[in-house]
């Protein structure tokens, strides 16, 4: 995981340098402090997809280029076989598998997300990002907090919400939860 975070940090630095931007400018676009952004570039902090998505949209690059170091090439369709999507663990308890990494110009970013269980007293950092998010639980149970509302989703349950609201997920019952997340 640490190597993946360092590689994303290198890609962030490369993007910033190629566009001749300051760390202040990119931090503002990402909605984080300059100090937090500098830690991201250095590969010394966990990264959220929502923060990477904000940077990608602000500078008109594909999210995949930041997350995986690859530009999408397909424009008619892109097939992802079960278990074969590009994966990245960018936070200690989250693993994302992209289901559309090769499709250019897409309007949504679909992922299979696995969240490992944490102790009940663990602080959960909420994130927000532009647009909407659709989540459907494929296995396990998930606690989803949106703003101050706490919901429990069981296997087969789905939800769509305004993802500008601060939100976070937690695996329940001491088991990993797997869900489909589509970010619009």
């Amino acid at each position: 995981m640490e190597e993946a975070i360092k590689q994303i940090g290198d890609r962030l630095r490369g993007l910033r340098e190629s566009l001749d931007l300051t760390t202040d400018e990119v931090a503002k676009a990402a909605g984080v402090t300059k100090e937090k952004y500098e830690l991201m570039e250095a590969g010394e902090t966990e990264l959220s997809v929502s923060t990477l998505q904000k940077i990608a949209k602000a500078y008109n690059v594909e999210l995949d280029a930041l997350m995986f170091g690859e530009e999408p090439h397909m424009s008619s369709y892109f097939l992802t076989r079960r278990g074969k999507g590009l994966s990245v663990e960018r936070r200690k308890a989250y693993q994302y598998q992209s289901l559309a990494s090769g499709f250019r110009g897409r309007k949504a970013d679909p992922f299979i997300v696995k969240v490992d269980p944490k102790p009940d007293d663990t602080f959960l950092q909420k994130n927000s990002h532009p647009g909407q998010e659709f989540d459907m639980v494929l296995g396990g149970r998930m606690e989803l907090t949106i703003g101050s509302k706490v919901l429990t989703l069981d296997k087969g349950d789905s939800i769509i919400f305004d993802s500008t609201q601060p939100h976070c997920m937690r695996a329940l019952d001491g088991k990993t939860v797997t869900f489909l997340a589509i970010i619009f």
Side-chain angles (χ1 to χ4, degrees):
M1 178 182 77
E2 290 179 17
E3 184 59 31
I5 291 173
K6 288 194 180 298
Q7 289 173 358
I8 293 170
D10 290 343
R11 289 191 284 274
L12 287 171
R13 183 173 29 270
L15 172 68
R16 181 179 57 76
E17 290 173 352
S18 70
L19 296 175
D20 198 28
L21 299 168
T22 66
T23 54
D24 283 325
E25 291 170 312
V26 182
K28 183 176 180 181
V32 298
T33 65
K34 177 183 175 184
E35 294 75 22
K36 169 87 173 178
Y37 178 76
E38 288 172 345
L39 288 172
M40 290 168 58
E41 270 196 13
E44 296 177 8
T45 189
E46 294 181 351
L47 304 167
S48 71
V49 169
S50 60
T51 300
L52 294 174
Q53 188 179 48
K54 287 176 189 175
I55 294 169
K57 285 185 178 187
Y59 299 109
N60 199 28
V61 298
E62 295 286 345
L63 178 61
D64 298 338
L66 295 178
M67 288 184 70
F68 307 112
E70 296 185 16
E71 289 284 340
H73 301 288
M74 303 302 291
S75 58
S76 296
Y77 70 90
F78 182 77
L79 173 66
T80 302
R81 298 285 183 193
R82 180 178 44 195
K84 300 296 181 183
L86 290 177
S87 294
V88 66
E89 292 182 40
R90 3 118 354 257
R91 302 175 98 178
K92 290 179 184 170
Y94 289 73
Q95 179 185 7
Y96 283 78
Q97 180 183 45
S98 176
L99 300 178
S101 61
F103 191 72
R104 184 176 58 224
R106 64 186 176 273
K107 306 284 190 256
D109 289 301
F111 298 95
I112 296 292
V113 183
K114 291 184 179 180
V115 179
D116 292 329
K118 296 180 183 177
D120 288 341
D121 62 350
T122 302
F123 171 76
L124 297 177
Q125 179 180 344
K126 292 180 183 175
N127 288 299
S128 63
H129 48 88
Q132 300 172 338
E133 182 169 332
F134 171 85
D135 295 331
M136 180 175 184
V137 178
L138 304 175
R141 295 178 67 232
M142 174 171 70
E143 178 184 279
L144 172 64
T145 303
I146 304 170
S148 61
K149 183 74 173 173
V150 179
L151 305 163
T152 299
L153 283 76
D154 296 314
K155 182 177 178 179
D157 291 348
S158 64
I159 188 168
I160 188 165
F161 59 94
D162 173 359
S163 55
T164 62
Q165 298 180 76
H167 58 280
C168 61
M169 294 86 174
R170 177 194 311 266
L172 296 175
D173 307 322
K175 297 178 183 172
T176 299
V177 65
T178 303
F179 61 99
L180 170 68
I182 304 174
I183 301 170
F184 300 91

